[in-house]
Amino acid sequence: NGAWPFEEINRRYATHQQWLEKSVPALLRHPTATAVAEWLHQERVAWRRVFSLDPLLPRSLWPPDYRGEQVLAARRRAFAQIGAEVFSG
């Protein structure tokens, strides 16, 4: 816990998850090619910021409140939702 800034790591993960929860529904209301491209760019920049601090430790070394796995799952769901909407028609 003392070797890495897990409070900041978790804060960044939480911020990213909140952004996903707001931005995906907004995008899906009007999923134009331009909007999807912009969302993908924003998500990539934001994810790099989140992921840059994570030391990617084995599960046995994760602190009890580590949010990385949960937010990665939310990110995958977001991409699946967007993909399903964009490529469904």
Side-chain angles (χ1 to χ4, degrees):
N1 242 351
W4 293 280
F6 277 106
E7 277 189 32
E8 178 62 21
I9 291 167
N10 278 335
R11 188 173 327 156
R12 289 183 184 193
Y13 276 124
T15 299
H16 194 72
Q17 187 168 12
Q18 291 167 356
W19 180 80
L20 289 171
E21 290 168 359
K22 291 179 182 179
S23 68
V24 172
L27 174 63
L28 294 179
R29 283 193 287 278
H30 304 287
T32 66
T34 302
V36 171
E38 179 59 30
W39 185 91
L40 288 169
H41 173 73
Q42 290 175 4
E43 197 285 333
R44 182 176 173 203
V45 169
W47 184 251
R48 280 186 169 178
R49 182 176 187 281
V50 170
F51 203 64
S52 68
L53 278 184
D54 196 323
L56 304 176
L57 298 171
R59 184 182 299 269
S60 62
L61 297 177
W62 290 357
D65 61 345
Y66 176 68
R67 296 182 63 131
E69 186 174 42
Q70 173 188 354
V71 178
L72 179 59
R75 184 176 188 245
R76 287 181 178 146
R77 285 190 303 273
F79 277 93
Q81 283 182 285
I82 292 166
E85 179 66 30
V86 170
F87 297 110
S88 68

